[in-house]
């Protein structure tokens, strides 16, 4: 039971416990075990009331921040003697908790590099050379950058420059991936197109709506988007004149039917693509833990998206509105992925900016807010996110720090670091977007 008048430090510790519970609920190997097991010489895949039998061995391919632990889960469920393959992931997500037999290809995130190209080719080569058993594809957040084979005629430099443009303009993850699929040699069903054997896909979602064609840019599933969709996004953000010349020419050729479209629904038979973990699963994990600790959990079912500052204000309004009739400590939970309009040259990430943007609304209250990425990484920093509470604005002023100036310069990291309010946990090995935890004592 939360104490009647918990201190700020006590509330922070409670919030961290809930964040840890959320991350634990989407631990990749545990999620795989809920859907996959071996029966003699067959891999049995289940989802709800549906079940599929697949001949062994399983040739495992995949990519993402959770791919190493997903691969370990496949080994544990099926048996190492019945599996082989390779998965690609970023630094910090490899063994010892990763696979023992399935190979691990170190790749790059969030900006692709030569390792991302090499990993893509490894997966394509394996998918196209299998002549027995079944292909098992494992996809999680981060796969778009980790698999970055350019489409024919494009260079990695072209893709890197385009990636930076999309990151800076505030494009949503759906928009981001629609463009990336149409300048790629593996995304948008490219891996499925190359597959020589039947293939099923296990997915841990890092996007709002859990669309398997968007998660990781859908390398193993058909893509409903078109070159026209990609070009509309380019014009929406006025990027036409900023694109590398070859990228622009490739997209314009696609509009005229002169570049190969992504794989479309019905073009090739495919096995099921099952979402085994999501932001909602993590939120429920946190809610269950909150109830155990004596809080009354409230999950905001509508995902947080769009402008980070606006989303932060909405969340704090929802949190503080629980003050009336609050006879038991309230825990308000929300998830999603907001976007930051980069205006300055500071250091931070969307979760740190979300926390800092909530500071003014929380001033003088007894509430604590934690905003963090479930992957343990927030932007190009060593933090997962940040805390704020009713004293944050006052403490910042006492240190001569202007929160408004920090937000204007997208410089949340130094501000939260000075306040000793950064959340640091290191890479978690999973990724289901962001978690917001608000605690309001009775």
């Amino acid at each position: 039971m939360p104490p009647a008048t918990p201190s700020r430090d006590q509330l922070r510790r409670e919030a961290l416990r809930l964040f840890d519970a959320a991350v634990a609920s989407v631990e990749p190997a545990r999620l795989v075990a809920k859907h996959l097991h071996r029966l003699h010489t067959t891999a049995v895949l289940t989802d709800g009331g549906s079940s599929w039998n697949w001949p062994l061995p399983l040739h495992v391919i995949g990519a993402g921040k959770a791919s190493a632990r997903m691969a370990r889960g496949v080994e544990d469920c099926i048996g190492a003697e019945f599996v082989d393959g390779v998965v690609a992931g970023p630094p910090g997500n490899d063994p010892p908790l990763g696979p023992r037999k399935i190979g691990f290809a170190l790749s790059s995130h969030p900006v692709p590099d030569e390792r991302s190209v090499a990993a893509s080719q490894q997966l394509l080569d394996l998918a196209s050379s299998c002549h027995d058993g079944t292909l098992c594809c494992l996809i999680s957040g981060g796969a778009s950058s980790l698999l970055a084979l350019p489409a024919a005629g494009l260079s990695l430099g072209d893709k890197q420059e385009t990636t930076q443009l999309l990151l800076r303009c505030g494009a949503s993850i759906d928009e981001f991936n629609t463009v990336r699929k149409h300048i790629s040699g593996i995304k948008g069903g490219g891996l499925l197109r190359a597959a020589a054997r039947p293939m099923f896909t296990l997915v841990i979602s890092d996007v709002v709506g859990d669309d398997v064609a968007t998660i990781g840019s859908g390398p193993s599933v058909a893509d409903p988007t078109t070159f026209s969709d990609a070009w509309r996004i380019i014009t929406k953000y006025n990027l036409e004149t900023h694109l590398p010349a070859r990228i622009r020419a490739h997209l314009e050729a696609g509009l005229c039917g002169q570049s190969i479209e992504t794989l479309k629904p019905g073009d090739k038979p495919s096995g099921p693509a099952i979402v085994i973990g999501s932001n909602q699963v993590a939120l429920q994990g946190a809610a269950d833990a909150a109830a155990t600790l004596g809080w009354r959990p409230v999950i905001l079912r509508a995902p947080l998206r769009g402008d980070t500052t606006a989303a932060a204000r909405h969340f704090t309004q929802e949190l503080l509105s629980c003050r009336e009739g609050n006879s038991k400590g309230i825990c308000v939970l929300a998830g999603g992925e907001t976007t930051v309009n980069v205006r300055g040259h500071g250091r931070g990430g969307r979760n740190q900016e979300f926390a800092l943007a909530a500071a003014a609304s929380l001033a003088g209250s007894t509430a604590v807010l934690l905003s963090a990425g479930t992957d343990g990484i927030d932007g190009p920093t060593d933090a997962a996110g940040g805390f704020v509470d009713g004293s944050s604005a006052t403490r910042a002023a006492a240190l001569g720090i202007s929160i408004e100036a920090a937000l204007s310069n997208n410089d949340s990291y130094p501000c939260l670091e000075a306040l000793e309010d950064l959340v640091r946990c290191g890479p978690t090995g999973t990724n289901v977007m962001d978690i917001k935890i608000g605690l309001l004592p009775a």
Side-chain angles (χ1 to χ4, degrees):
M1 177 74 66
T5 55
S7 69
R8 181 171 67 93
D9 286 343
Q10 288 172 319
L11 288 173
R12 285 164 51 118
R13 286 193 294 270
E14 292 279 87
L16 279 174
R17 289 178 68 179
L18 301 185
F19 176 71
D20 290 343
V23 171
S25 70
V26 287
E27 198 285 316
R30 183 185 303 175
L31 294 173
V32 169
K34 292 180 179 180
H35 294 269
L36 190 66
H37 69 275
R38 179 170 61 88
L39 181 63
H40 306 303
T41 58
T42 301
V44 182
L45 176 68
T46 59
D47 183 39
S50 299
S51 178
W52 301 265
N53 294 335
W54 302 93
L56 295 174
L58 285 187
H59 305 291
V60 178
I61 52 178
K65 295 177 183 178
S67 64
R69 297 192 188 193
M70 292 175 80
R72 179 64 172 265
V74 174
E75 290 179 344
D76 291 343
C77 294
I78 301 300
E81 67 270 32
F82 296 102
V83 301
D84 59 27
V86 62
V87 295
N93 288 269
D94 45 335
L97 294 178
R100 293 159 293 190
K101 183 179 178 184
I102 297 167
F104 181 82
L106 190 62
S107 192
S108 178
H109 182 276
V111 178
D113 63 17
E114 292 291 349
R115 295 173 297 179
S116 307
V117 176
S120 303
Q121 197 60 58
Q122 274 188 272
L123 267 60
L124 284 168
D125 290 347
L126 189 104
S128 62
S129 63
C130 289
H131 301 295
D132 65 350
T134 305
L135 284 161
C136 168
C137 188
L138 308 175
I139 297 296
S140 57
S144 290
S145 172
L146 297 164
L147 300 179
L149 181 71
L154 304 179
S155 72
L156 176 60
D158 293 332
K159 292 198 68 176
Q160 288 171 325
E161 189 174 341
T162 304
T163 296
Q164 291 289 7
L165 286 171
L166 291 166
L167 283 170
R168 292 189 65 85
C169 76
S172 71
I173 188 65
D174 291 21
E175 293 172 329
F176 204 129
N177 287 352
T178 294
V179 174
R180 289 199 285 196
K181 283 187 280 192
H182 286 88
I183 59 176
S184 172
I186 190 170
K187 298 178 177 68
L191 194 55
L192 175 60
R193 181 178 268 151
R197 296 292 301 168
M199 178 164 63
F200 67 87
T201 304
L202 300 179
V203 182
I204 295 180
S205 173
D206 71 328
V207 304
V208 173
D210 304 332
D211 176 20
V212 294
T214 299
I215 302 160
S217 297
S220 62
V221 297
D223 174 37
T225 71
T226 65
F227 274 105
S228 294
D229 296 322
W231 189 251
R232 274 195 294 272
I233 293 161
I234 295 300
T235 56
K236 173 182 175 180
Y237 292 103
N238 300 312
L239 299 179
E240 307 97 302
T241 60
H242 302 285
L243 286 173
R246 282 179 293 212
I247 294 285
R248 176 168 179 151
H250 176 79
L251 293 176
E252 289 177 335
L255 293 173
C256 303
Q258 297 173 355
S259 290
I260 298 175
E261 255 292 3
T262 52
L263 191 73
K264 294 291 173 276
D267 284 355
K268 183 174 183 177
S270 63
I274 298 172
V275 175
I276 63 173
S278 68
N279 191 258
Q280 286 298 315
V281 173
L283 289 175
Q284 190 59 55
D288 292 344
T292 299
L293 292 172
W295 298 91
R296 181 166 70 85
V298 176
I299 299 176
L300 304 184
R301 293 298 177 184
L304 297 174
R305 58 195 311 176
D307 180 71
T308 296
T309 298
R313 289 172 181 160
H314 169 72
F315 182 82
T316 54
Q317 286 172 359
E318 293 286 343
L319 174 62
L320 295 176
S321 70
C322 295
R323 279 181 293 206
E324 293 186 12
N326 179 16
S327 59
K328 185 178 184 180
I330 302 291
C331 171
V332 178
L333 300 161
E337 185 169 293
T338 61
T339 54
V340 173
N341 183 14
V342 180
R343 303 174 301 277
H345 302 282
R347 188 178 183 207
R350 63 177 177 264
N351 284 288
Q352 295 161 64
E353 189 150 320
F354 185 101
L356 207 57
S361 299
L362 294 181
S365 76
T366 58
V368 161
L369 181 152
L370 180 155
S371 176
T374 54
D375 59 356
I377 302 165
D378 188 37
T381 75
D382 62 353
F387 291 103
V388 286
D389 56 60
S391 70
S392 295
T394 302
R395 289 185 289 121
L399 293 173
I401 296 171
S402 168
I403 289 179
E404 297 241 341
L407 289 170
S408 295
N409 194 36
N410 302 114
D411 202 26
S412 52
Y413 182 97
C415 182
L416 290 169
E417 184 175 43
L419 294 172
E420 299 183 349
D421 282 344
L422 288 171
V423 176
R424 291 187 175 101
C425 61
T428 64
T430 193
N431 183 24
V432 293
M433 299 188 289
D434 302 331
I435 295 286
K436 320 297 180 184
I437 300 171
L439 296 180
L440 186 63

